[in-house]
Amino acid sequence: MAVSYKELGLVNTRAMFADAIKNGYAVPAYNFNNMEQMQAIIQACVETKSPVILQVSSGARKYANQTLLRYMAQGAVQFAKELGCEIPIALHLDHGDTLDLCKSCVDYGFSSVMIDGSHHSYEENIALTQRVVEYAHKYDVTVEGELGILAGVEDDVSSETHTYTQPEEVEDFVKKTGCDSLAISIGTSHGAFKFKPGQDPEIRLDILAEIEKRIPGFPIVLHGASSVPQEYVELINKFGGKMEAAIGIPEEQLRSAAKSAVCKINIDSDGRLAMTAAIRKMFADQPGEFDPRKYLGPARDELRKMYASKNKNVLGSAGMVK
Ligand code: G3H
Ligand code: 13P
Ligand code: ZN
């Protein structure tokens, strides 16, 4: 049965992004697949008084079941209130690839959807994004489009090199599609291996500045923005893992981006690393333990600390809920 996100206490991203642009910060968009991740995200965002976008990928929908995720997001609104702060919470489809999937999420209580047509031709990307916008806007659901292709694995399509967003296309794209925000490719990439050892871990803030000049005040989204904290990589390797040369985006570059037109920053991999590091350490320290709460609990605590630190020190979203 169709349900509006408004009945669930969720919000779309429009007011969130307007505030982020006005105050020079980025709203965190954290992916979740299970209860502990969701709890940690909400705990951290309530503690730091930050708005938040809960992101669900199609992989997450397959893993956790879309009905359960939807009710978890609905529960998150109540959970935040119980923790003492009514923060704005959006439920967002990450990397939607078809009109049908986007429609189904709109009908299912999502307040925001991404249609990622970046692997299509420019014209096909526009046509697909237009159709999603037409449907979503009828229900006041906001839409994120994408121009440019990130290197690494995106939607199961793997690309060795970045196809940077061409600044001369952005104005035409947002005008023709009517999308509410735009994901761009400026050198970030998905996963924990974003740069080769010895490579300068730099993103193209010059392209971002050029894009901002063409569409001033329009909300820009940065995917692939995990910074891959080395303390987690070291813990994982120390306690039996094997993650060689995992390198992410330096935090100071993300901070610069967040102060500009970037008003949504996507982080998934750092959460995976924090959880894995905490669980591996727990298993090594207490090999006799077999109660899942004894290892998922510390993993959730580590996640909460990490998200709170991102909000305070990287995105600048801490303290923005008054
Ligand atoms: O953009 C990719 C996100 O990190 C989601 O990853 O498709 O493995 O859930 P996933
Ligand atoms: P990371 O893999 O860098 O965390 O990026 C996540 C993302 O972009 C989700 O859409
Ligand atoms: Zn992404």
Side-chain angles (χ1 to χ4, degrees), residues 293-312:
R293 293 170 297 188
K294 294 282 165 40
Y295 50 88
L296 292 176
R300 182 177 60 192
D301 291 344
E302 194 55 52
L303 269 179
R304 180 180 49 74
K305 264 194 280 170
M306 190 211 54
Y307 291 133
S309 152
K310 295 264 179 210
N311 294 351
K312 283 185 213 153

Side-chain angles (χ1 to χ4, degrees), residues 217-269:
F218 192 82
I220 300 297
V221 178
L222 220 50
H223 283 247
S226 278
S227 49
V228 186
Q230 290 304 296
E231 62 268 30
Y232 292 143
V233 177
E234 280 156 24
L235 275 177
I236 288 170
N237 288 336
K238 180 173 172 192
F239 293 113
K242 204 166 176 5
M243 293 196 70
E244 273 147 34
I247 302 169
I249 312 291
E251 290 195 340
E252 38 315 337
Q253 294 190 29
L254 295 167
R255 212 172 300 137
S256 304
K259 283 182 188 154
S260 75
V262 169
C263 54
K264 171 174 179 272
I265 288 189
N266 285 12
I267 293 169
D268 186 358
S269 297

Side-chain angles (χ1 to χ4, degrees), residues 75-214:
V77 174
Q78 193 56 38
F79 183 47
K81 279 186 201 157
E82 282 170 20
L83 291 176
C85 184
E86 257 183 75
I87 54 170
I89 302 175
L91 178 63
H92 174 78
L93 168 67
D94 192 24
H95 294 284
D97 57 347
T98 63
L99 175 61
D100 281 349
L101 175 58
C102 292
K103 275 182 168 176
S104 154
C105 287
V106 170
D107 296 347
Y108 222 71
F110 281 59
S111 62
S112 173
V113 292
M114 174 187 192
I115 178 67
D116 180 357
S118 61
H119 298 286
H120 298 296
S121 71
Y122 181 67
E123 289 71 26
E124 284 166 346
N125 188 359
I126 288 180
L128 178 60
T129 308
Q130 269 171 346
R131 285 199 290 274
V132 172
V133 168
E134 193 189 344
Y135 188 81
H137 280 186
K138 278 196 280 195
Y139 302 92
D140 204 17
V141 167
T142 41
V143 178
E144 175 182 324
E146 178 165 341
L147 261 184
I149 303 171
L150 275 65
V153 179
E154 190 173 343
D155 295 341
D156 294 331
V157 180
S158 165
S159 162
E160 265 289 298
T161 50
H162 303 279
T163 306
Y164 294 123
T165 305
Q166 295 178 33
E168 52 280 15
E169 286 182 347
V170 294
E171 195 179 353
D172 182 60
F173 186 86
V174 303
K175 209 183 274 170
K176 284 189 177 146
T177 60
C179 65
D180 302 281
S181 59
L182 182 68
I184 59 167
S185 168
I186 55 168
T188 61
S189 57
H190 292 111
F193 304 91
K194 300 184 193 295
F195 301 97
K196 302 225 156 54
Q199 211 181 354
D200 215 0
E202 233 181 309
I203 56 171
R204 295 286 303 272
L205 293 171
D206 57 319
I207 300 180
L208 171 62
E210 192 54 43
I211 291 170
E212 197 177 349
K213 233 186 267 169
R214 311 257 177 163

